[in-house]
Amino acid sequence: MSKTSEKDRAKDDEDLDDEAGSTDEGNDDGEEEEAKATAARGRGHGHAHDDDDDAEDDGAEPEDPYWWAPHAVLSALVLIGLLGFFGMFNKTPLARLAAPVAPAPDEHEHATAAAPPPAPTPRPAQSAQAPREMFGAKHLLVMYKGSRRAPPTIERTKDEAKARATEAMTKAKADPSKFADVVKEYSDEPGADKRGGDLGKFPKGAMVPEFQAGLEKIKVGQVSDLVETAFGYHVILRTQ
């Protein structure tokens, strides 16, 4: 081999070394640039996350440090209401302060209240009520259809009843001692025949006015004329 060939090979080796160095430098430069780009992307992504967090922080309302205050007030009001319902405040000084204060008594009213009440004015003694006048009598009664308390068996007319009562009156006046017998024969009053028409004793005004007036017209032991009332026609013998 000639020296020229050796020089050529040496030159080729140097060129290869230069190319390899250039290639290594190029690779190093590319890796460095790629690392810088990756770091830049990382920083950009981090900034984006920070911006999002800042945006979220800016949009959310800040937490109220006194959120518990309304709940505490409501609980206190409920507790006060329960204590008041069970009468706990009636025994406290607060209740006494809230109670209405009675107004101070007026001196004039105090003097009036202290003065003794006036003595009652004595009333004149009422006179004792006079006893009512008492009467006694026997009677017979002749009813007609339509008279008060007339039983359904009574069918006679008023004129017929008057004629029958006049006949009984004539017999009774003829002999007052036989008045009970006349009662049994003529009277329509229930039970009159058993007691002889005796009404016993009664105060003035106990009988109907027509009967009382006819009784007062006669004396004890006398027989009255016909006395008409709503019950029919009466014949009266006064006994008191």
Side-chain angles (χ1 to χ4, degrees), residues 62-70:
E63 183 177 0
D64 188 3
Y66 300 102
W67 62 269
W68 53 267

PDB file of all heavy atoms in Angstrom, residues 62-70:
ATOM      1  N   PRO A  62     -67.315  33.075  49.872  1.00  0.00           N
ATOM      2  CA  PRO A  62     -66.487  32.800  51.056  1.00  0.00           C
ATOM      3  C   PRO A  62     -67.368  32.276  52.193  1.00  0.00           C
ATOM      4  O   PRO A  62     -68.504  32.665  52.351  1.00  0.00           O
ATOM      5  CB  PRO A  62     -65.882  34.165  51.401  1.00  0.00           C
ATOM      6  CG  PRO A  62     -66.824  35.152  50.806  1.00  0.00           C
ATOM      7  CD  PRO A  62     -67.363  34.503  49.565  1.00  0.00           C
ATOM      8  N   GLU A  63     -66.888  31.362  52.960  1.00  0.00           N
ATOM      9  CA  GLU A  63     -67.631  30.747  54.073  1.00  0.00           C
ATOM     10  C   GLU A  63     -67.842  31.767  55.191  1.00  0.00           C
ATOM     11  O   GLU A  63     -66.900  32.479  55.586  1.00  0.00           O
ATOM     12  CB  GLU A  63     -66.855  29.546  54.600  1.00  0.00           C
ATOM     13  CG  GLU A  63     -67.583  28.806  55.709  1.00  0.00           C
ATOM     14  CD  GLU A  63     -66.824  27.580  56.162  1.00  0.00           C
ATOM     15  OE1 GLU A  63     -65.730  27.338  55.596  1.00  0.00           O
ATOM     16  OE2 GLU A  63     -67.310  26.900  57.072  1.00  0.00           O
ATOM     17  N   ASP A  64     -69.123  31.868  55.670  1.00  0.00           N
ATOM     18  CA  ASP A  64     -69.464  32.820  56.733  1.00  0.00           C
ATOM     19  C   ASP A  64     -68.969  32.288  58.073  1.00  0.00           C
ATOM     20  O   ASP A  64     -69.388  31.199  58.507  1.00  0.00           O
ATOM     21  CB  ASP A  64     -70.979  33.021  56.799  1.00  0.00           C
ATOM     22  CG  ASP A  64     -71.350  34.135  57.761  1.00  0.00           C
ATOM     23  OD1 ASP A  64     -70.453  34.768  58.325  1.00  0.00           O
ATOM     24  OD2 ASP A  64     -72.579  34.358  57.950  1.00  0.00           O
ATOM     25  N   PRO A  65     -68.110  33.017  58.743  1.00  0.00           N
ATOM     26  CA  PRO A  65     -67.603  32.507  60.044  1.00  0.00           C
ATOM     27  C   PRO A  65     -68.679  32.513  61.124  1.00  0.00           C
ATOM     28  O   PRO A  65     -68.524  31.875  62.151  1.00  0.00           O
ATOM     29  CB  PRO A  65     -66.474  33.486  60.376  1.00  0.00           C
ATOM     30  CG  PRO A  65     -66.824  34.735  59.638  1.00  0.00           C
ATOM     31  CD  PRO A  65     -67.504  34.296  58.376  1.00  0.00           C
ATOM     32  N   TYR A  66     -69.834  33.214  60.899  1.00  0.00           N
ATOM     33  CA  TYR A  66     -70.897  33.284  61.923  1.00  0.00           C
ATOM     34  C   TYR A  66     -72.133  32.496  61.503  1.00  0.00           C
ATOM     35  O   TYR A  66     -73.257  32.856  61.837  1.00  0.00           O
ATOM     36  CB  TYR A  66     -71.277  34.750  62.184  1.00  0.00           C
ATOM     37  CG  TYR A  66     -70.126  35.591  62.672  1.00  0.00           C
ATOM     38  CD1 TYR A  66     -69.467  36.457  61.802  1.00  0.00           C
ATOM     39  CD2 TYR A  66     -69.669  35.490  63.990  1.00  0.00           C
ATOM     40  CE1 TYR A  66     -68.392  37.227  62.243  1.00  0.00           C
ATOM     41  CE2 TYR A  66     -68.599  36.257  64.433  1.00  0.00           C
ATOM     42  CZ  TYR A  66     -67.956  37.119  63.557  1.00  0.00           C
ATOM     43  OH  TYR A  66     -66.923  37.868  64.004  1.00  0.00           O
ATOM     44  N   TRP A  67     -71.931  31.431  60.745  1.00  0.00           N
ATOM     45  CA  TRP A  67     -73.071  30.623  60.301  1.00  0.00           C
ATOM     46  C   TRP A  67     -73.843  30.030  61.468  1.00  0.00           C
ATOM     47  O   TRP A  67     -75.013  29.730  61.361  1.00  0.00           O
ATOM     48  CB  TRP A  67     -72.579  29.507  59.383  1.00  0.00           C
ATOM     49  CG  TRP A  67     -71.625  28.560  60.071  1.00  0.00           C
ATOM     50  CD1 TRP A  67     -70.272  28.635  60.136  1.00  0.00           C
ATOM     51  CD2 TRP A  67     -72.001  27.410  60.827  1.00  0.00           C
ATOM     52  NE1 TRP A  67     -69.738  27.630  60.863  1.00  0.00           N
ATOM     53  CE2 TRP A  67     -70.799  26.834  61.318  1.00  0.00           C
ATOM     54  CE3 TRP A  67     -73.215  26.795  61.150  1.00  0.00           C
ATOM     55  CZ2 TRP A  67     -70.786  25.691  62.097  1.00  0.00           C
ATOM     56  CZ3 TRP A  67     -73.199  25.660  61.907  1.00  0.00           C
ATOM     57  CH2 TRP A  67     -71.982  25.102  62.391  1.00  0.00           C
ATOM     58  N   TRP A  68     -73.229  29.837  62.599  1.00  0.00           N
ATOM     59  CA  TRP A  68     -73.880  29.203  63.761  1.00  0.00           C
ATOM     60  C   TRP A  68     -74.788  30.162  64.517  1.00  0.00           C
ATOM     61  O   TRP A  68     -75.604  29.729  65.347  1.00  0.00           O
ATOM     62  CB  TRP A  68     -72.808  28.656  64.705  1.00  0.00           C
ATOM     63  CG  TRP A  68     -71.783  29.703  65.078  1.00  0.00           C
ATOM     64  CD1 TRP A  68     -70.603  29.958  64.466  1.00  0.00           C
ATOM     65  CD2 TRP A  68     -71.909  30.668  66.139  1.00  0.00           C
ATOM     66  NE1 TRP A  68     -69.941  30.997  65.052  1.00  0.00           N
ATOM     67  CE2 TRP A  68     -70.740  31.457  66.107  1.00  0.00           C
ATOM     68  CE3 TRP A  68     -72.883  30.933  67.102  1.00  0.00           C
ATOM     69  CZ2 TRP A  68     -70.512  32.486  67.000  1.00  0.00           C
ATOM     70  CZ3 TRP A  68     -72.654  31.951  68.001  1.00  0.00           C
ATOM     71  CH2 TRP A  68     -71.485  32.721  67.949  1.00  0.00           C
ATOM     72  N   ALA A  69     -74.665  31.471  64.278  1.00  0.00           N
ATOM     73  CA  ALA A  69     -75.405  32.452  65.086  1.00  0.00           C
ATOM     74  C   ALA A  69     -76.922  32.288  64.981  1.00  0.00           C
ATOM     75  O   ALA A  69     -77.629  32.248  66.001  1.00  0.00           O
ATOM     76  CB  ALA A  69     -74.986  33.864  64.699  1.00  0.00           C
ATOM     77  N   PRO A  70     -77.541  32.161  63.778  1.00  0.00           N
ATOM     78  CA  PRO A  70     -79.018  31.988  63.717  1.00  0.00           C
ATOM     79  C   PRO A  70     -79.494  30.739  64.442  1.00  0.00           C
ATOM     80  O   PRO A  70     -80.524  30.744  65.123  1.00  0.00           O
ATOM     81  CB  PRO A  70     -79.304  31.927  62.209  1.00  0.00           C
ATOM     82  CG  PRO A  70     -78.144  32.581  61.565  1.00  0.00           C
ATOM     83  CD  PRO A  70     -76.969  32.263  62.424  1.00  0.00           C
TER      84      PRO A  70
END
